[in-house]
Amino acid sequence: MMGLMVSEETRTRTSTTDDSTTPGHYGEAAPKTATAPPRAWATRLVVVGIVLSALNLRPAITSLGALLEEVRDGLGMSGSVAGLLTSVPPLCFAVFGVMAPRLARRFGPAAVVCAGMAAVAAGLLIRPYVGSTAGFLAASALALMGIAVSNVLMPVIVKRWFPDRVGSMTGLYSMALALGTSTAAAVTVPMTEALGGSWRSGLCVWALLATVAVLPWLGLIRDRGAAPFDGAAVPRARAREEQPPALRITRSRTAWALAVFFGLQATAAYITMGWMAQIFRDSGVPAGTAGVLLAVTMVMGVPLAFVIPRLATRLPHQGPIVLVLGACGLAGYAGLYFAPAGGAWAWAVLLGISNCAFPLALTMVGMRARTGAGVAQLSAFAQSTGYLISIPGPLLVGVLYQHSGGWGIPIALMAGLMLPQMAVGVLAGRDRTVEDEAGR
């Protein structure tokens, strides 16, 4: 364990410039003479804030997946409209995620994440009771907007607060995200039954968890001087003058490969979260068991999301990890196609392993840029572009399911998309940085 931490720390330091004296840019620190070092309590509060925020980044989606049939019946949705509903998350992540770096420069990352968690709580509280499909979509979009900006800023916060522990902190964040995802999938149905059987109550209760996640960021906003990324001691005009020029990120082949890899893995993840429980239910699996199977898929990310980022930071090329995860995905889809109910638990495990491409992608975001500014730009570009790429997938699955009358063609589509995901993941895993490529 100690050797792993030393190896990770050495690798991160050799691949990361010391930008602790670079003021202002994307919320980076003011000069050392102007900003006090972060206090120990603030560092602990950041860890708590990261974990609580990560727990809230997927329940809005997986809780809906577990109750999708009930929501469809309650709001009178067709299969195509339900497919549109499962495409809303990547659409919001693409549209609102690109705004995160600009908001972080203006208000500070802590304030933006705090507002994001508040938006998640408000959206989850409102959406079950609006009474129409349009209102449900709008309230969902509010919650997803908060998730989107937090998605982009988490790698930035990790890079700035823990530059020598990018792998382990990304693993902690990813593990908490997977835990929140799987918990929502597993307990939403039984919790709904315990609350009287209303799907509205089962969805609304997740607003409480988001409300708790607001609290640690409030403490960090009140003590901006403790944060190494907030740069509050530097006058705004001076910070603008001293900011380094932004990278021309679209010139980087690695950035594009990482964006496409992120998009394809997000496509697979949101199809899984939105439709896998329904696939099992249509094959004869009871609703409660289908929710647990979805939870098994999500919970695989809890241990692996901690292991994979740490392993990735020790390798000069992350391509082998990409290929192993892709092979698990192909095997899982083959099982869903030929025997969805007979081997349901095995397919859930295999697809859960495959979905760990997400923490791998987050880790590569931190590794493919040397500076905090570079990570912020790469994170915004890769996630916004990637989620834009992923929008058609869940919608197309819904349309194919409705018009083909079964899951054969949609599952074949999912398996087919895994091949280009593996190819671009190998390209994104090469040992190079976007600063070198974009500056040529």
Side-chain angles (χ1 to χ4, degrees):
M1 177 70 72
M2 183 62 69
L4 180 57
M5 291 295 292
V6 171
S7 174
E8 182 184 340
E9 179 175 350
T10 302
R11 173 171 176 79
T12 307
R13 286 180 175 174
T14 56
S15 64
T16 307
T17 60
D18 182 9
D19 57 355
S20 59
T21 59
T22 303
H25 193 52
Y26 289 97
E28 293 184 32
K32 292 180 180 178
T33 57
T35 305
R39 290 186 276 274
W41 71 264
T43 302
R44 290 192 289 269
L45 199 58
V46 169
V47 174
V48 173
I50 288 173
V51 171
L52 287 176
S53 297
L55 287 171
N56 282 278
L57 294 182
R58 294 300 179 268
I61 303 166
T62 52
S63 62
L64 176 60
L67 294 173
L68 184 58
E69 184 171 319
E70 288 76 8
V71 174
R72 285 176 58 188
D73 293 341
L75 297 178
M77 292 183 188
S78 66
S80 298
V81 174
L84 175 62
L85 183 61
T86 58
S87 294
V88 169
L91 174 62
C92 290
F93 294 166
V95 172
F96 298 117
V98 75
M99 300 163 51
R102 180 177 298 178
L103 293 171
R105 285 198 301 268
R106 182 173 179 85
F107 302 107
V112 176
V113 175
C114 182
M117 290 297 104
V120 174
L124 294 184
L125 183 64
I126 294 170
R127 74 173 181 177
Y129 301 105
V130 290
S132 68
T133 298
F136 191 93
L137 289 171
S140 296
L142 175 62
L144 294 167
M145 176 179 66
I147 295 173
V149 294
S150 302
N151 271 336
V152 171
L153 292 180
M154 284 297 149
V156 180
I157 292 173
V158 167
K159 185 77 168 183
R160 294 302 301 134
W161 276 90
F162 310 100
D164 58 340
R165 289 179 285 163
V166 170
S168 58
M169 288 305 300
T170 301
L172 178 64
Y173 153 69
S174 301
M175 186 169 61
L177 189 152
L179 181 61
T181 304
S182 58
T183 301
V187 308
T188 295
V189 171
M191 186 168 57
T192 300
E193 295 173 353
L195 293 173
S198 170
W199 61 266
R200 290 181 169 85
S201 299
L203 293 182
C204 179
V205 72
W206 294 104
L208 296 175
L209 183 62
T211 302
V212 174
V214 173
L215 302 179
W217 300 109
L218 287 174
L220 292 165
I221 293 171
R222 292 176 180 176
D223 194 59
R224 289 175 62 92
F229 48 68
D230 270 334
V234 180
R236 194 178 302 276
R238 179 184 166 192
R240 283 197 298 266
E241 291 173 0
E242 295 180 344
Q243 285 175 8
L247 294 171
R248 296 184 177 181
I249 198 76
T250 55
R251 290 187 175 183
S252 169
R253 294 181 179 179
T254 297
W256 278 108
L258 189 52
V260 176
F261 176 67
F262 201 100
L264 291 175
Q265 68 80 28
T267 300
Y270 287 109
I271 290 173
T272 299
M273 285 187 281
W275 289 109
M276 197 177 85
Q278 191 66 48
I279 293 174
F280 285 128
R281 291 178 71 168
D282 287 350
S283 68
V285 175
T289 304
V292 174
L293 286 167
L294 178 59
V296 168
T297 298
M298 300 297 112
V299 83
M300 291 303 300
V302 175
L304 292 179
F306 192 70
V307 173
I308 288 175
R310 294 168 66 90
L311 177 61
T313 56
R314 301 187 69 190
L315 298 176
H317 194 309
Q318 290 73 49
I321 304 177
V322 171
L323 295 178
V324 170
L325 298 180
C328 290
L330 290 174
Y333 289 133
L336 281 182
Y337 187 92
F338 291 107
W345 297 99
W347 318 143
V349 169
L350 286 169
L351 291 173
I353 296 173
S354 178
N355 279 348
C356 287
F358 175 72
L360 177 61
L362 289 180
T363 305
M364 288 196 288
V365 167
M367 297 178 67
R368 297 287 90 88
R370 289 195 302 268
T371 65
V375 172
Q377 278 192 262
L378 180 58
S379 180
F381 175 76
Q383 294 200 44
S384 295
T385 305
Y387 284 126
L388 192 64
I389 291 171
S390 71
I391 290 170
L395 175 60
L396 184 57
V397 166
V399 172
L400 291 175
Y401 169 57
Q402 181 174 359
H403 291 282
S404 67
W407 286 107
I409 295 177
I411 292 172
L413 172 66
M414 300 176 208
L417 291 176
M418 189 59 65
L419 299 177
Q421 176 181 321
M422 295 165 70
V424 294
V426 170
L427 294 177
R430 296 175 298 174
D431 188 12
R432 56 194 63 192
T433 64
V434 294
E435 286 90 351
D436 292 337
E437 294 181 340
R440 291 174 183 170

